[in-house]
Amino acid sequence: MTTPEIPGIPGTTLFDGRLARKGYALNRMCYSFNDAANRAAFQQDEAGYCDRFGLDDEQRAAIRARNVLQLIAAGGNVYYLAKFAGIFGLDVQDLGAQQTGMSKDAFKARLAAYAH
Amino acid sequence: MTTPEIPGIPGTTLFDGRLARKGYALNRMCYSFNDAANRAAFQQDEAGYCDRFGLDDEQRAAIRARNVLQLIAAGGNVYYLAKFAGIFGLDVQDLGAQQTGMSKDAFKARLAAYAH
Amino acid sequence: MAQLLGGVLTSHVPAIGRAIHQGLQDDPYWKPFFAGFPPVRQWLAQARPDVVVVFYNDHGLNFFLDKMPTFSVGAAPAYRNADEGWGIPQVPAFTGEQDLSWHLIERLIDDEFDITTCQEMLVDHAFTLPMALLWPDQAWPVKVVPVCINTVQFPLPTAARCWKLGQAVGRAIRAWDSAARVVVLGTGGLSHQLDGERAGFINKDFDLRFMDSLVSDQPDWATQFSIPQLVEQAGTQGIELLMWLATRAALGERVEEVHRNYHIPISNTAAGLMVLQSV
Amino acid sequence: MAQLLGGVLTSHVPAIGRAIHQGLQDDPYWKPFFAGFPPVRQWLAQARPDVVVVFYNDHGLNFFLDKMPTFSVGAAPAYRNADEGWGIPQVPAFTGEQDLSWHLIERLIDDEFDITTCQEMLVDHAFTLPMALLWPDQAWPVKVVPVCINTVQFPLPTAARCWKLGQAVGRAIRAWDSAARVVVLGTGGLSHQLDGERAGFINKDFDLRFMDSLVSDQPDWATQFSIPQLVEQAGTQGIELLMWLATRAALGERVEEVHRNYHIPISNTAAGLMVLQSV
Ligand SMILES: [Fe+3]
Ligand SMILES: [Fe+3]
């Protein structure tokens, strides 16, 4: 890849061409979750739904684990992943808590602390 | 409309915003003819197919008449209209002949004459 | 010629939709956010806009990676919201101001902006919720023109390019042969980050400096930064401040600050709000 | 760095596909057209490109008016043809050169081109038939990057803007950190008009002057004209000469003319063909 090196920002991934290529199938699946019927189809047959979109093993494992950091590493873009999280009623604070290894309350307290 | 006046070119229509607004339903229908199943559906129930895309009376009349100049006046864009013409096996020389009121042979002869 | 009255800048998050639906405007968590809006509505009542041009970013409702425009301009007769994956109740449809859409499109292409024109377009929470904050009865008294800036797929347009887009949109609005009264609405930011180990990042100092810059002698202050630098300062989603920049640029050289609010947090986000009046 | 070897410019019409399918290459009607191509293939055999960047215009296969980009760049692993409405046999799929796609995208956005990126993309006859003329066995020995310019929905990008796009694409190819050998292919025009009472319009004088200009000291000669002026000279579909302009611009200041053909008519179109070698 010839994408210019992006100065590293700790704990931060820019969704560039490299990740877009890697994550296309995963993101396409998550984009389909805009539709309630697709969310239901996923819940009825998770593995079959992943088959339909051609996810690779890393992506399938990340989906099974409901693990956001793994999903990002597998090429997932957070805007589409948010729709996957929605299936389980998880909001962005749930995602933040999971990614930072905190309880949701601790994560929310940290957010509030930025006010001061 | 505030689209700047385009200097008139005789016998020529530029597909600008004004025409795009007018022709959206018609062009959307013609775009659907990329798909062979849609071409067949149109042929089976022409009026019903026009209903489905919400064509107005002017557009329906132009479709019924298979009249290219009328279709353009109704907002049709030639790139999409070509797909409508394809249903009847008409090529661009058939369309040219119809629009210029010539026989196809005469139209082809006029084209060839430009070589000299 | 049309009158460009001013701009409103606000953050957006899906949770605002839930809060509105559940009537939580006076809940202690939400009150400091919703309490910022009555002065905006007061200003709008005086400004009486006929049209709102909205700079916003789609979050994967209307656009997917198969066709991802850098800049897109709506030219539809109406704009509907739709399910974005969370089943949040939807707002009524918006009526498009197609004359202005096509005028903008003509001017922008002429000014060498390579926009994507959208004659059908779903608008997501970044468009609908700010509108619902401005007009809570959701009986929209204005027509709209959406202008969408890509924040999903990197490379994003530079801050400098977004500034230029805003300038061109402002010029076009002012050159529109119409008696309409126009307001520009920019929605996104301020600092927040949803993804990665840095999720939950907020940068109050940067946000306040950015808000100040918009009403300073150097309103394009943020255009000195590259996209990665802005992500570093404002977070991966804080980059939505590009909408604020484009909106500010549309307003021309000088503006008067009418109102401001800033509150941390709503959801994962530092919520900013400004009303800027054209002078 | 990658080597930009030169460019091929050719007309395209759907009927070429029918003629190929029916084996009419030596038919008296078609021969003056097809006979132009052996020298192109000879040049390609010497040039041995690994990658072809194709400037073309979509005719309503991949794009509709709901999302109509001014400039779009493919970034797909593969590009398929599909039924365009006439049931013409389809060519084999093309392999995308994704490294170059993303390199171009990075550079173009950085250069303030507001492109739409397409990670899925169907390519129509404007892409497939010129490729089939260059490689009749359709066993494509090259990877591809499609660059599409809107000629469907007015306003179109100006000729001057297309020239700048071509320049930026050329710079980006030459700056690509790769050992690849690259050719640019531009397809469209020359003069023709399918629609209206002026259907069948052809302008030989203008076409010849345009072809000459591309190898003159003023290769951007055509950029002096507005889009309506170019339509007046070349016809509503003759405006596809924008692809030739972008291709020529990509090749840099000086080129050597290797080959040329011009024949009236194929279908409704004046068919032009040029091979330009970078010097
Ligand atoms: Fe957002
Ligand atoms: Fe064409």
Short mmCIF file of all heavy atoms in Angstrom, two decimals, chain A residues 23-45:
data_model
loop_
_atom_site.label_atom_id
_atom_site.label_comp_id
_atom_site.label_asym_id
_atom_site.label_seq_id
_atom_site.Cartn_x
_atom_site.Cartn_y
_atom_site.Cartn_z
N GLY A 23 -12.03 -4.39 5.24
CA GLY A 23 -13.31 -4.51 5.95
C GLY A 23 -14.55 -4.45 5.08
O GLY A 23 -15.66 -4.43 5.62
N TYR A 24 -14.40 -4.46 3.76
CA TYR A 24 -15.56 -4.18 2.90
C TYR A 24 -16.76 -5.10 3.19
O TYR A 24 -17.89 -4.63 3.36
CB TYR A 24 -15.18 -4.24 1.42
CG TYR A 24 -16.24 -3.59 0.55
CD1 TYR A 24 -16.32 -2.21 0.45
CD2 TYR A 24 -17.19 -4.35 -0.12
CE1 TYR A 24 -17.30 -1.60 -0.31
CE2 TYR A 24 -18.17 -3.75 -0.88
CZ TYR A 24 -18.22 -2.37 -0.98
OH TYR A 24 -19.20 -1.76 -1.72
N ALA A 25 -16.51 -6.40 3.27
CA ALA A 25 -17.62 -7.35 3.48
C ALA A 25 -18.29 -7.11 4.83
O ALA A 25 -19.52 -7.08 4.94
CB ALA A 25 -17.09 -8.79 3.39
N LEU A 26 -17.46 -6.91 5.84
CA LEU A 26 -17.98 -6.66 7.19
C LEU A 26 -18.82 -5.39 7.23
O LEU A 26 -19.93 -5.37 7.80
CB LEU A 26 -16.80 -6.55 8.16
CG LEU A 26 -17.09 -6.10 9.59
CD1 LEU A 26 -18.04 -7.06 10.29
CD2 LEU A 26 -15.77 -5.96 10.38
N ASN A 27 -18.32 -4.34 6.61
CA ASN A 27 -19.06 -3.07 6.63
C ASN A 27 -20.34 -3.15 5.81
O ASN A 27 -21.36 -2.56 6.17
CB ASN A 27 -18.15 -1.93 6.14
CG ASN A 27 -17.07 -1.62 7.16
OD1 ASN A 27 -17.34 -1.55 8.36
ND2 ASN A 27 -15.83 -1.48 6.70
N ARG A 28 -20.26 -3.92 4.73
CA ARG A 28 -21.47 -4.07 3.92
C ARG A 28 -22.55 -4.80 4.72
O ARG A 28 -23.73 -4.45 4.66
CB ARG A 28 -21.14 -4.84 2.63
CG ARG A 28 -22.09 -4.51 1.49
CD ARG A 28 -21.51 -4.90 0.14
NE ARG A 28 -21.50 -6.32 -0.05
CZ ARG A 28 -22.53 -7.02 -0.55
NH1 ARG A 28 -23.64 -6.41 -0.90
NH2 ARG A 28 -22.44 -8.32 -0.70
N MET A 29 -22.13 -5.80 5.47
CA MET A 29 -23.11 -6.49 6.32
C MET A 29 -23.70 -5.53 7.36
O MET A 29 -24.93 -5.47 7.53
CB MET A 29 -22.47 -7.70 7.01
CG MET A 29 -23.45 -8.48 7.86
SD MET A 29 -22.77 -9.97 8.62
CE MET A 29 -22.13 -9.30 10.14
N CYS A 30 -22.83 -4.79 8.01
CA CYS A 30 -23.32 -3.89 9.06
C CYS A 30 -24.22 -2.80 8.46
O CYS A 30 -25.20 -2.38 9.09
CB CYS A 30 -22.16 -3.28 9.82
SG CYS A 30 -21.29 -4.50 10.83
N TYR A 31 -23.89 -2.33 7.26
CA TYR A 31 -24.74 -1.33 6.58
C TYR A 31 -26.14 -1.89 6.36
O TYR A 31 -27.14 -1.16 6.44
CB TYR A 31 -24.08 -0.94 5.26
CG TYR A 31 -24.85 0.07 4.43
CD1 TYR A 31 -25.02 1.37 4.85
CD2 TYR A 31 -25.39 -0.29 3.19
CE1 TYR A 31 -25.71 2.30 4.07
CE2 TYR A 31 -26.07 0.63 2.40
CZ TYR A 31 -26.23 1.92 2.86
OH TYR A 31 -26.91 2.83 2.09
N SER A 32 -26.22 -3.20 6.10
CA SER A 32 -27.54 -3.81 5.85
C SER A 32 -28.43 -3.75 7.08
O SER A 32 -29.65 -3.88 6.97
CB SER A 32 -27.37 -5.27 5.39
OG SER A 32 -27.13 -6.13 6.49
N PHE A 33 -27.83 -3.54 8.25
CA PHE A 33 -28.62 -3.53 9.49
C PHE A 33 -29.42 -2.25 9.66
O PHE A 33 -30.14 -2.10 10.65
CB PHE A 33 -27.73 -3.78 10.72
CG PHE A 33 -27.10 -5.15 10.72
CD1 PHE A 33 -25.81 -5.33 11.22
CD2 PHE A 33 -27.77 -6.26 10.22
CE1 PHE A 33 -25.22 -6.58 11.23
CE2 PHE A 33 -27.18 -7.52 10.23
CZ PHE A 33 -25.90 -7.68 10.73
N ASN A 34 -29.33 -1.32 8.71
CA ASN A 34 -30.28 -0.21 8.70
C ASN A 34 -31.70 -0.72 8.61
O ASN A 34 -32.63 -0.04 9.03
CB ASN A 34 -30.01 0.71 7.49
CG ASN A 34 -28.91 1.73 7.74
OD1 ASN A 34 -28.76 2.24 8.85
ND2 ASN A 34 -28.12 2.01 6.71
N ASP A 35 -31.86 -1.90 8.04
CA ASP A 35 -33.18 -2.46 7.76
C ASP A 35 -33.54 -3.45 8.87
O ASP A 35 -32.80 -4.41 9.14
CB ASP A 35 -33.10 -3.16 6.40
CG ASP A 35 -34.46 -3.64 5.93
OD1 ASP A 35 -35.30 -4.02 6.78
OD2 ASP A 35 -34.66 -3.67 4.71
N ALA A 36 -34.68 -3.22 9.51
CA ALA A 36 -35.09 -4.07 10.63
C ALA A 36 -35.22 -5.54 10.23
O ALA A 36 -34.90 -6.44 11.01
CB ALA A 36 -36.42 -3.58 11.21
N ALA A 37 -35.66 -5.79 8.99
CA ALA A 37 -35.81 -7.17 8.54
C ALA A 37 -34.44 -7.86 8.49
O ALA A 37 -34.32 -9.04 8.81
CB ALA A 37 -36.46 -7.20 7.15
N ASN A 38 -33.42 -7.11 8.11
CA ASN A 38 -32.07 -7.68 8.06
C ASN A 38 -31.52 -7.94 9.47
O ASN A 38 -30.82 -8.92 9.69
CB ASN A 38 -31.12 -6.76 7.29
CG ASN A 38 -31.45 -6.73 5.80
OD1 ASN A 38 -32.00 -7.70 5.27
ND2 ASN A 38 -31.11 -5.64 5.15
N ARG A 39 -31.87 -7.04 10.39
CA ARG A 39 -31.43 -7.26 11.77
C ARG A 39 -32.06 -8.55 12.30
O ARG A 39 -31.40 -9.35 12.97
CB ARG A 39 -31.81 -6.07 12.65
CG ARG A 39 -31.18 -4.75 12.19
CD ARG A 39 -31.21 -3.68 13.26
NE ARG A 39 -32.52 -3.13 13.61
CZ ARG A 39 -33.11 -2.11 12.99
NH1 ARG A 39 -32.54 -1.53 11.93
NH2 ARG A 39 -34.28 -1.64 13.41
N ALA A 40 -33.32 -8.75 11.97
CA ALA A 40 -34.01 -9.97 12.42
C ALA A 40 -33.39 -11.21 11.75
O ALA A 40 -33.19 -12.24 12.41
CB ALA A 40 -35.50 -9.87 12.09
N ALA A 41 -33.07 -11.09 10.46
CA ALA A 41 -32.48 -12.24 9.75
C ALA A 41 -31.14 -12.61 10.36
O ALA A 41 -30.81 -13.80 10.50
CB ALA A 41 -32.32 -11.90 8.27
N PHE A 42 -30.37 -11.62 10.73
CA PHE A 42 -29.08 -11.88 11.38
C PHE A 42 -29.30 -12.63 12.69
O PHE A 42 -28.61 -13.61 12.98
CB PHE A 42 -28.33 -10.58 11.65
CG PHE A 42 -27.07 -10.75 12.44
CD1 PHE A 42 -25.87 -11.06 11.81
CD2 PHE A 42 -27.08 -10.60 13.83
CE1 PHE A 42 -24.70 -11.23 12.55
CE2 PHE A 42 -25.91 -10.78 14.57
CZ PHE A 42 -24.72 -11.08 13.92
N GLN A 43 -30.28 -12.17 13.46
CA GLN A 43 -30.49 -12.79 14.77
C GLN A 43 -30.99 -14.22 14.66
O GLN A 43 -30.72 -15.05 15.50
CB GLN A 43 -31.45 -11.93 15.60
CG GLN A 43 -30.75 -10.65 16.06
CD GLN A 43 -31.56 -9.89 17.08
OE1 GLN A 43 -32.61 -9.34 16.77
NE2 GLN A 43 -31.09 -9.88 18.32
N GLN A 44 -31.74 -14.49 13.59
CA GLN A 44 -32.26 -15.85 13.40
C GLN A 44 -31.19 -16.83 12.97
O GLN A 44 -31.22 -18.00 13.30
CB GLN A 44 -33.38 -15.84 12.35
CG GLN A 44 -34.72 -15.50 12.96
CD GLN A 44 -35.83 -15.61 11.95
OE1 GLN A 44 -35.59 -15.94 10.78
NE2 GLN A 44 -37.05 -15.33 12.37
N ASP A 45 -30.23 -16.35 12.14
CA ASP A 45 -29.20 -17.25 11.62
C ASP A 45 -27.93 -16.46 11.40
O ASP A 45 -27.60 -16.06 10.29
CB ASP A 45 -29.68 -17.89 10.31
CG ASP A 45 -28.59 -18.75 9.69
OD1 ASP A 45 -27.59 -19.08 10.38
OD2 ASP A 45 -28.73 -19.08 8.49
#
